[in-house]
Amino acid sequence: MTDNSSDFELVKSFISGDESAFNKIISKYQQKIYWHARRMSGNHLDADEIVQEVLLVMYNKLKDFKFQSSLYTWIYRITATRSINFLKKRNLRKIFSLDDNEVRSVKSGSDIISDLEKKEKWERLEKVLQKISSTQREVFIMRSFDELSYDEIAEITGKSVGGLKANYFHAMKKIMELMKKDE
Amino acid sequence: MSNKDKIILYIDGHMGRAEREEFESDLRVSKELSDELGRYRDFLSRLKELEDIPVEEDYFVNMAPNFRSRLRKKRKAGYLSKLALGATTAAALKIVALFFFKENRVNNVPVLQNVISQMNSSDVNSLLNSYSDQINLNDLTQDDQASYDSVLNSMIYKELQVSPNAISSLAGDNSDLSTMFKGVDQKEVDLVYNEILHKRIY
């Protein structure tokens, strides 16, 4: 995982008033935050919104962080929670037709993925991931991309290991079926 | 359990030892199962390729400065909205205070005097009786006494055709009615009233 002693120093510096320490924390974890948000939300615009929310929560709550878990786990927990909350809000907006998801995905022409071939593969996977439930997607992403153990995922999400295994199992099954249909 | 289910459990490392050995034995004899496992593994390795996707670096380089800029805007907006909320709340409280705590300055005494002057003898009698039963002059405040004095005066004038000055003269020391009645209990007041009324009527 990550270097806990340097995280400790960064947090200590930030609490003492060193704002640049927070910028260093952002640099260290921004990719992890972004990609989890991106995989959960399915497009760059929504991922960016989630990232900004996560950074704001981190900024406001870091002074209360007591190192009961690693900083990475703490940040990941915020990212996972904010992502799920964002998706719930998005679904509600969809139901009340307040947001046009089609427009949002079209706007992802402002995407930051520069490799076109990988972008095409990624977009295929994104479409498939969006077809499974957010709870299944979450554990699938953490297991397949971040290679977290079930115990680590349980610590982040607060869910039981058994439940997580079941969600992963169903996610994997559904994704394989959808990818097969797509081919 | 279907083959797909077994494959997922096998890939995820969640088969017990005996179960794993049985599955691996099935893999050796079943090409279909082996091909199916291959597809799953292929899918997972393609996922791995998508772990590190080249992106425009500007986005991540600018993430911290963008966050700072949004934080400043949010703080500014927060101050303005708090200011607006404070001003609105103060105005609302003022309006509520003016409405609810404004003293009712309507003096009902002239109204009462008007009403009493239009009443007949029996009405005034019953009013006098209920008046003496319910109100203790000694409990009245200075202001209330002034009000009641004028109501009382109205009643006395109406029924007895005796002016307040005349009553004061009777008392001998030009005291007002409330001073006169100080120390006098309700029964005594009633007796006096009744005596006066009796004399008036009979």
Side-chain angles (χ1 to χ4, degrees), chain B residues 15-167:
Chain B
M15 273 185 169
R17 192 182 166 174
E19 218 181 339
R20 195 170 63 247
E21 282 173 4
E22 191 188 334
F23 182 75
E24 283 169 353
S25 159
D26 290 342
L27 276 174
R28 282 190 283 273
V29 298
S30 166
K31 189 175 184 304
E32 191 188 335
L33 186 63
S34 172
D35 287 347
E36 187 78 29
L37 176 65
R39 276 192 287 276
Y40 272 77
R41 281 187 167 145
D42 187 48
F43 168 71
L44 287 173
S45 68
R46 279 187 280 138
L47 275 186
K48 284 270 184 259
E49 288 172 23
L50 295 175
E51 263 181 29
D52 292 308
I53 302 178
V55 296
E56 290 163 14
E57 279 307 314
D58 281 353
Y59 177 73
F60 289 110
V61 164
N62 293 327
M63 190 178 279
N66 282 343
F67 168 71
R68 293 279 173 194
S69 163
R70 286 183 205 199
L71 188 65
R72 272 193 297 275
K73 281 182 191 167
K74 208 175 176 73
R75 276 179 178 160
K76 206 176 176 183
Y79 293 141
L80 288 172
S81 67
K82 276 181 189 169
L83 197 64
L85 184 68
T88 311
T89 310
L93 282 171
K94 253 190 187 167
I95 292 165
V96 166
L98 280 169
F99 184 76
F100 282 107
F101 298 113
K102 183 180 173 181
E103 198 182 335
N104 188 346
R105 298 193 182 280
V106 174
N107 191 343
N108 286 326
V109 170
V111 174
L112 272 172
Q113 285 180 321
N114 205 26
V115 166
I116 288 163
S117 66
Q118 287 165 30
M119 287 161 77
N120 59 33
S121 299
S122 60
D123 292 334
V124 174
N125 269 342
S126 58
L127 195 62
L128 276 172
N129 289 338
S130 61
Y131 166 84
S132 62
D133 280 339
Q134 287 160 21
I135 296 164
N136 185 345
L137 282 172
N138 292 333
D139 292 336
L140 296 178
T141 62
Q142 203 71 21
D143 287 343
D144 288 335
Q145 283 175 349
S147 299
Y148 277 113
D149 276 346
S150 58
V151 170
L152 192 55
N153 289 345
S154 298
M155 288 179 185
I156 292 168
Y157 181 73
K158 164 78 180 171
E159 185 57 38
L160 308 174
Q161 291 186 349
V162 177
S163 73
N165 290 338
I167 300 273

Side-chain angles (χ1 to χ4, degrees), chain A residues 124-171:
Chain A
R124 265 186 72 215
L125 178 65
E126 264 184 337
K127 276 183 191 158
V128 166
L129 284 175
Q130 290 304 308
K131 287 180 182 171
I132 62 174
S133 76
S134 53
T135 39
Q136 289 174 0
R137 196 182 317 147
E138 184 182 55
V139 70
F140 180 80
I141 287 166
M142 288 184 183
R143 192 108 175 99
S144 304
F145 290 100
D146 297 315
E147 293 174 341
L148 297 175
S149 69
Y150 283 111
D151 287 332
E152 285 167 334
I153 299 171
E155 198 189 342
I156 289 164
T157 61
K159 292 175 182 155
S160 69
V161 168
L164 291 167
K165 284 179 183 176
N167 276 325
Y168 179 79
F169 177 82
H170 292 298

